[in-house]
Amino acid sequence: MKAAVLYKANEPLQVVDVQQEGPRAGEARVKVKAAGICHSDWHIMNGDWPLPLPMVLGHEAAGIVDEVGAGVTNVKPGDHIIFSFRPHCGRCLYCSIGRTILCDGHSSPRWGLLDGSFRMRRNGEDLRQMARIGTFAESVVCPAEMLVPIRKDMPWPQAALMGCCVPTGVGAVMSCAKVEAGASMLVVGCGGVGLNVVQGGRLVGAEKIIAADLLDNKLAYAKEFGATHTLNASRENVVEEVRKLTGGRGVDYAFDAIGGEATTLQILDAVRPGGTAVIVGMAAMSVRAPITPYMMALQEKCIKGTMYGSVRPNIDFPRLVNLYMDGRLKIDELVSRTYPLDEINEGFEYLTSGQVARGVVVFN
Ligand SMILES: [Zn+2]
Ligand SMILES: [Zn+2]
């Protein structure tokens, strides 16, 4: 079977033949049907997140269960699934209180199986799997608890995006910030995640959805996804324009869908006193941002982070699928380009130049 392996940061992925061992107890093998190309993969490729290599990248995907190991009861061969890139032990504090994204029930490194071993090998060398899944591969063996079964009429590229950018963006609005109908919000960054923050705002009935980006083509996408106002941050001062659009006060909620020093400070400046700024995008590990504690206290501002949109995959993935099938979530429009696995490096070129909402690798 073929997989796209990162051997060294700042080098292209190598699409190569690898050996795969079948699922052991508690594991399943999935035939991957589609896998989205996300900035988090890029963070590993460019060295922003220095992780041990070689590693099969990819974490936003959907496929068909092929085989299950002993004791697996949540999925069976033939099930259509979306991969969750976070485990769900079901027993830890976080799983017990419904905050499953924060599950800390497993202590093994996050790029192998739960017992710390590996299922993929090439030339005698173990290959790690990003987020324990590594979905830029024709087939994935992973913990069965990371698979969420969905209805079978959901199309594959759209299902793949339910594994990262859709729940991250929509969940940031619905599950993390809990934006109420009639509220105003700012979204900084209109890539795969930011567009889903925008449509999350539309879904909950936000009154003003202001989208900011450096590229006009991204702002055109944002309009399609429900933005009521757009700002080109290369020409306009986002914070000043947001104030003008909100009677001088600032927005109720602001979301940073990029992740960086400048954008973190921008969302804090753009929210009104008592408002909430949410960090959604994943920054490089070394980024720091100087906030002003005096202003935080004086204006009772709140800043919080959200991982994976703070969703509960087992509950929220099937719900989001239903919303898409009912025509209430736009996902077709997100899938701007598809590629065979062999052309995955081209997919990353399109991602980094901002030419696509989302590129998706499709498998036969
Ligand atoms: Zn992602
Ligand atoms: Zn847990």
Side-chain angles (χ1 to χ4, degrees), residues 33-37 60 62 154-163 165-166 190-193 195-196 199 221 224-225 324 329-340 350 355-363:
K33 298 299 289 182
I37 297 176
E60 176 182 80
M154 180 71 182
W156 290 116
Q158 288 81 346
L161 302 200
M162 289 286 181
C165 69
V166 176
C190 299
V193 170
L195 291 174
N196 280 296
Q199 72 170 332
Y221 282 131
E224 258 184 73
F225 278 73
Y324 164 77
L329 269 184
K330 283 179 188 280
I331 306 184
D332 301 347
E333 295 80 352
L334 279 174
V335 183
S336 335
R337 272 184 95 91
T338 59
Y339 314 87
Y350 275 89
Q355 293 177 70
V356 286
R358 205 61 155 185
V360 181
V361 176
V362 291
F363 299 81

Side-chain angles (χ1 to χ4, degrees), residues 102-118:
L102 299 175
C103 174
D104 66 357
H106 305 294
S107 55
S108 53
R110 287 187 3 222
W111 36 81
L113 278 292
L114 296 176
D115 63 4
S117 64
F118 302 94

Side-chain angles (χ1 to χ4, degrees), residues 87-96 100 102-105:
H88 180 194
C89 79
R91 297 175 304 275
C92 73
L93 169 79
Y94 297 106
C95 285
S96 302
T100 61
L102 299 175
C103 174
D104 66 357

Side-chain angles (χ1 to χ4, degrees), residues 25 86 95 104 114 138 142 179 233 306 347:
R86 292 290 299 149
C95 285
D104 66 357
L114 296 176
E138 291 174 326
C142 69
V179 173
T306 179

Side-chain angles (χ1 to χ4, degrees), residues 82-324:
I82 295 170
F83 290 89
S84 162
F85 63 74
R86 292 290 299 149
H88 180 194
C89 79
R91 297 175 304 275
C92 73
L93 169 79
Y94 297 106
C95 285
S96 302
I97 62 173
R99 302 290 310 278
T100 61
I101 294 309
L102 299 175
C103 174
D104 66 357
H106 305 294
S107 55
S108 53
R110 287 187 3 222
W111 36 81
L113 278 292
L114 296 176
D115 63 4
S117 64
F118 302 94
R119 299 290 168 274
M120 267 193 274
R121 222 156 274 119
R122 179 166 184 257
N123 299 332
E125 184 179 24
D126 283 330
L127 300 176
R128 296 166 184 84
Q129 293 169 238
M130 179 180 181
R132 302 185 194 275
I133 50 182
T135 54
F136 295 147
E138 291 174 326
S139 165
V140 169
V141 173
C142 69
E145 68 185 47
M146 300 176 73
L147 306 177
V148 178
I150 54 161
R151 54 197 271 186
K152 291 189 174 174
D153 52 354
M154 180 71 182
W156 290 116
Q158 288 81 346
L161 302 200
M162 289 286 181
C164 180
C165 69
V166 176
T168 298
V170 175
V173 175
M174 294 175 68
S175 304
C176 176
K178 299 189 166 69
V179 173
E180 64 276 21
S184 58
M185 56 187 263
L186 165 69
V187 185
V188 177
C190 299
V193 170
L195 291 174
N196 280 296
V197 177
V198 169
Q199 72 170 332
R202 196 200 52 209
L203 200 62
V204 301
E207 186 242 328
K208 257 188 200 98
I209 305 172
I210 306 165
D213 200 285
L214 296 168
L215 299 174
D216 287 327
N217 68 319
K218 295 269 186 89
L219 294 172
Y221 282 131
K223 279 259 178 203
E224 258 184 73
F225 278 73
T228 57
H229 302 77
T230 57
L231 300 172
N232 186 313
S234 70
R235 300 190 295 264
E236 295 169 288
N237 181 313
V238 171
V239 174
E240 276 174 20
E241 294 304 314
V242 164
R243 293 240 170 86
K244 277 188 210 159
L245 289 168
T246 52
R249 191 180 279 146
V251 280
D252 301 317
Y253 299 91
F255 299 85
D256 173 9
I258 297 172
E261 176 180 339
T263 48
T264 298
L265 298 176
Q266 204 165 49
I267 57 170
L268 257 183
D269 283 343
V271 289
R272 63 165 169 79
T276 301
V278 183
I279 300 172
V280 190
M282 302 293 283
M285 286 181 193
S286 57
V287 168
R288 299 180 64 79
I291 62 167
T292 311
Y294 170 76
M295 290 304 287
M296 296 291 296
L298 186 77
Q299 301 193 331
E300 293 198 349
K301 287 189 178 182
C302 170
I303 186 163
K304 61 201 292 196
T306 179
M307 169 70 171
Y308 223 154
S310 312
V311 296
R312 302 145 302 173
N314 286 325
I315 297 170
D316 294 315
F317 287 3
R319 276 189 187 172
L320 291 169
V321 166
N322 285 341
L323 286 170
Y324 164 77

